[in-house]
Amino acid sequence: METRAGVVVLRGHRELYQRTWHLFDKAREVTFAACDVRTWASHNQPPMQGRIRKLYRPGVLLDPTSAQHARHVAATGAEVRITTRDLNEAVIVDRRVAIIAGGDRTFTVVWIPGVVQGVLTLFNQVWGEATSLEDYERTYSELWEVAPRILELLGSGAPDDGAARAMGISLRTYRRRVDDLLATLGANSRFQAGARARELGLI
């Protein structure tokens, strides 16, 4: 643990939840922003009774376990939305403490009012443009069914016309689904999509 005025750096989930349990235990409002459900996952996370908002990248829906978690928290009363925007993974508790995820599973806890407000403002901007989990899943339900096959074809280097024939769909439809898949994975290229899919254990 490293401490500065208004800032504490914690290392690993164990230390994070040991040091911040009390914040979540009595929180009236908690907002989460995460690229995947593992960032803030912990079996030791305390129950929360207030308003809970969770914002995820679409990639969580391609992993069955992550998708099930997102649906579960939505079913238990949390507001869950999906965004294709890049996310700075963070949690804001009662608008007074921000926890920002860093590399190597370090977490910076900040209670400097101006910094917390800045993080919350960025979150609210993305939240306002995001789509509810239910609506997003309904819109892209066909994509979830064919995504593993598309990833397989992309990984094999198959040309688009051959991949479209292999899937029994038109070239235009195939390319549209590839574009949707890239957006879902937060990738700017097919190569990056493959790398991201491997990170998520999808291929």
Side-chain angles (χ1 to χ4, degrees):
M1 180 184 71
E2 300 174 16
T3 305
R4 299 182 181 89
V7 178
V8 173
V9 178
L10 306 176
R11 303 191 183 284
H13 285 100
R14 181 186 297 270
E15 186 176 21
L16 171 65
Y17 288 104
Q18 285 177 345
R19 297 296 303 274
T20 61
W21 174 284
H22 65 287
L23 298 175
F24 294 94
D25 189 37
K26 300 184 181 301
R28 295 186 301 274
E29 178 181 329
V30 183
T31 60
F32 296 80
C35 293
D36 62 66
V37 302
R38 290 181 290 273
T39 301
W40 307 110
S42 172
H43 295 299
N44 298 318
Q45 186 173 343
M48 291 172 284
Q49 303 301 322
R51 183 190 185 194
I52 301 170
R53 294 186 293 169
K54 293 199 172 190
L55 183 64
Y56 292 121
R57 293 275 304 165
V60 301
L61 300 176
L62 292 175
D63 174 57
T65 302
S66 297
Q68 183 179 10
H69 172 81
R71 295 182 194 114
H72 172 73
V73 296
T76 55
E79 301 170 54
V80 180
R81 293 189 184 181
I82 305 295
T83 179
T84 56
R85 293 266 300 272
D86 288 336
L87 286 179
N88 292 318
E89 297 186 293
V91 176
I92 305 103
V93 183
D94 284 339
R95 301 172 182 258
R96 61 187 180 86
V97 178
I99 305 170
I100 303 167
D104 299 324
R105 288 305 184 220
T106 60
F107 302 92
T108 302
V109 184
V110 183
W111 56 95
I112 301 170
V115 175
V116 175
Q117 184 57 49
V119 174
L120 182 60
T121 297
L122 289 173
F123 175 92
N124 284 335
Q125 288 175 348
V126 180
W127 179 263
E129 299 169 358
T131 305
S132 73
L133 173 64
E134 182 179 2
D135 288 346
Y136 199 94
E137 286 206 286
R138 184 184 304 115
T139 301
Y140 291 98
S141 60
E142 290 184 8
L143 177 61
W144 314 137
E145 295 174 4
V146 300
R149 180 61 173 149
I150 292 176
L151 287 168
E152 179 184 339
L153 290 165
L154 290 176
S156 72
D160 285 1
D161 54 351
R165 284 196 301 273
M167 293 187 65
I169 57 178
S170 70
L171 178 59
R172 181 177 179 180
T173 298
Y174 175 77
R175 286 177 171 166
R176 185 177 70 248
R177 289 182 176 171
V178 169
D179 288 343
D180 288 342
L181 183 58
L182 264 62
T184 294
L185 291 169
N188 296 317
S189 68
R190 295 183 179 195
F191 176 81
Q192 190 178 33
R196 181 60 178 151
R198 282 188 290 275
E199 288 175 10
L200 295 171
L202 302 175
I203 56 177

